[in-house]
Amino acid sequence: MRFNPVKGTKELSIFYNNARESEVLSIEPSTLHSRPGLTHPGDRGQSHSASERPVMTREYPRNIGILAAELYFPSTFVSQADLGM
Amino acid sequence: MREAFTCSCSSFDLSTAEIHDKVTEGKYTVGLAQESIAVVPDCEDVISMCMTVVSSLLERTGTDPACIGRLEVGSETILDKSKSIKSYLMQLFPTDDLCGADNLNACYGGTAALLNSVAWLESSEWDGRLALVVAGDVAVYERGPARPTGGAGAIALLLGPNAPLVVERGTTSHYMKHKFDFYKPVPTSEYPLVDGPASIVCYMEALDACYNRHLDRISNIKNTLLTMDDFDYFVFHSPFGKLVQKAYGRLLLSDALRYPQTAPVSLHPYLDAVAESASTSRELDRLLQDLTRNAFEARVGPTRLISAHVGNSYCASLYVGLLSLLAHLQHHHSEAQVGKRIGMFSYGSGLAASMFSLIVVGDLRGLTRPIEEYKHWLLKRERLTASEFEMLLEERERLYLASNWRPVTSPCILRPGTWYLSHVDEKYRRYYARLHHHPH
């Protein structure tokens, strides 16, 4: 769903809910070892069998990025030619 | 509509019309040197520019300010050593429940704000609202060779999920060092101390490192080898036009060192020497720029459309380039952009640098104003003479530390809807007002 700027908060809550539901990322043990703070308690870096892998799932909202962009620049300028460039 | 405001403005002149011709004809390589730089009159400052860009974004897109949950600013234009620009922007929002603050590291603050906001959107702190990133600066230099490399501008980016232009996850690369290439240690002066040659070496070292690390991170995730040709467009932090062409050429050198077997034969004699040092000879620079000239025009040229006329806007600079590209793309080829990769290189002296990719996953139309509108703004600007510019900067120096003053310049020279500085009171508190949208 595309951000529809004309609609307000209601539209926002719809895409927020969709986003929360739409993507679930499983973090594998190998990833856990390389990320401080996410290490499974009691983990000493030994390999896990499939049955004892720490299960850690996180939901990421999908397609985080730029919905709109705006620019402002002043209404006065000086030409480079006038500055001797 | 605009005529009512142009009473005191000169009509645009021949050279400004030539600017228009250059823009419409797309002769990007001709306009590599800066054409002109934006100048901030005394009735504007970095805060008013940021207020204007926020108001225009919210109004153009019809976004309810209550939908914003994070507001973060990047700037190195210091009007107060404690009070943030973000806190001034709170006047535009109906809520006080709005996280985020100012970010300071030379021209890198906008990127810090962007990366923080993306991290917030992906975090357990996210409450479902959108993030708004604002970056703006006024670049002024003391009298001398650096003065013409000034400029000014502000940008705002509305961030959230399900965007048509996505920040690629897990591939941002960084390069941070302790350097004195550009800094502002004198609190009574707005001007930086600049070591120009050192700054260019720092920029290129940062570019080499960020590019290689970015390629490594993408390769690890996608399990494929990338070169500069995999970037459909490339946007660079742009202190002045020529540095951008040099930077793009340098990516070819990085590719040649990464994959020597694919390097153009003409580069072979240089590869051993450049592997040792970040500085390159003028001869090699010219060769790299010759080898990448066509790609530069297609992939970087459209990012220069606006920057070539507003100059360096420090924290906003990279994003002015992005906006220029997006305005161009949505007008000319909006349907054919899905899947395209846009490389983004951010550099702030001191130093902090990052590279990331934006991937087009949806329709870009409506993301920015059409390029014609920006061209119209450029055409309607008032041109100052060199001596008017010098006088304005002298006055600016005088007012930098002053309290209890009102701008002399009438805000009627600004575009409708622009916020302006109304006055600074005896306690240095700054007050702002806004021009009407519709004069009649």
Side-chain angles (χ1 to χ4, degrees), chain A residues 4-46:
Chain A
N4 183 345
V6 182
K7 302 184 182 172
T9 323
K10 279 184 191 163
E11 181 78 5
L12 179 70
S13 67
I14 293 167
F15 76 51
Y16 162 53
N17 290 335
N18 285 348
R20 282 283 183 191
E21 288 161 10
S22 55
E23 190 174 356
V24 177
L25 182 82
S26 303
I27 297 176
E28 296 296 315
S30 59
T31 318
L32 286 174
H33 294 156
S34 62
R35 291 173 130 199
L38 282 182
T39 310
H40 193 258
D43 187 296
R44 296 287 180 272
Q46 68 272 42

Side-chain angles (χ1 to χ4, degrees), chain A residues 5 58 67 70 72 75-76, chain B residues 39 44 61 122 158 369 382:
Chain A
R58 256 220 59 176
L67 299 166
E70 196 72 29
Y72 177 78
S75 313
T76 37
Chain B
V39 179
E44 288 190 277
T61 60
E122 289 190 341
L158 185 65
R369 290 172 196 273
E382 185 184 4

Side-chain angles (χ1 to χ4, degrees), chain B residues 14-166:
Chain B
L14 261 182
S15 80
T16 321
E18 284 168 12
I19 287 170
H20 182 249
D21 289 339
K22 276 179 186 153
V23 171
T24 50
E25 288 170 20
K27 291 179 180 170
Y28 310 123
T29 47
V30 177
L32 275 181
Q34 279 311 130
E35 298 287 340
S36 60
I37 58 174
V39 179
V40 178
D42 62 353
C43 61
E44 288 190 277
D45 61 22
V46 66
I47 296 166
S48 71
M49 293 199 308
C50 289
M51 290 173 80
T52 301
V53 82
V54 167
S55 289
S56 359
L57 183 140
L58 296 177
E59 287 161 10
R60 181 177 65 80
T61 60
T63 305
D64 179 353
C67 295
I68 312 289
R70 187 180 187 92
L71 171 63
E72 200 153 349
V73 178
S75 181
E76 58 162 309
T77 307
I78 306 297
L79 290 171
D80 191 297
K81 294 193 285 297
S82 175
K83 184 172 166 58
S84 65
I85 295 173
K86 154 76 186 284
S87 62
Y88 275 101
L89 293 179
M90 289 307 292
Q91 297 170 97
L92 305 177
F93 291 85
T95 175
D96 49 21
D97 179 12
L98 193 51
C99 67
D102 285 10
N103 293 263
L104 175 69
N105 191 111
C107 304
Y108 185 80
T111 298
L114 173 70
L115 298 179
N116 286 347
S117 296
V118 169
W120 175 73
L121 286 159
E122 289 190 341
S123 77
S124 61
E125 286 296 319
W126 187 48
D127 60 4
R129 290 184 291 167
L130 304 176
L132 187 58
V133 167
V134 181
D137 269 308
V138 178
V140 285
Y141 294 86
E142 66 183 353
R143 196 178 295 229
R147 184 158 270 190
T149 65
I155 62 93
L157 303 175
L158 185 65
L159 303 176
N162 299 326
L165 186 60
V166 167

Side-chain angles (χ1 to χ4, degrees), chain B residues 322-394:
Chain B
L322 176 66
L323 261 133
S324 182
L325 173 67
L326 295 176
H328 171 80
L329 291 182
Q330 68 178 6
H331 179 69
H332 293 283
H333 324 278
S334 67
E335 70 295 338
Q337 299 303 322
V338 170
K340 295 277 168 80
R341 174 183 293 274
I342 304 172
M344 301 281 290
F345 175 60
S346 180
Y347 177 84
S349 291
L351 64 86
S354 297
M355 187 179 285
F356 56 97
S357 281
L358 298 172
I359 310 291
V360 181
V361 301
D363 191 347
L364 296 178
R365 277 173 295 189
L367 204 72
T368 67
R369 290 172 196 273
I371 192 74
E372 272 61 37
E373 194 165 347
Y374 294 126
K375 284 183 193 168
H376 182 73
W377 289 3
L378 287 172
L379 275 168
K380 285 288 191 182
R381 292 188 302 174
E382 185 184 4
R383 180 177 182 163
L384 303 181
T385 64
S387 58
E388 284 170 333
F389 174 57
E390 292 296 330
M391 275 164 53
L392 198 138
L393 285 181
E394 272 173 34

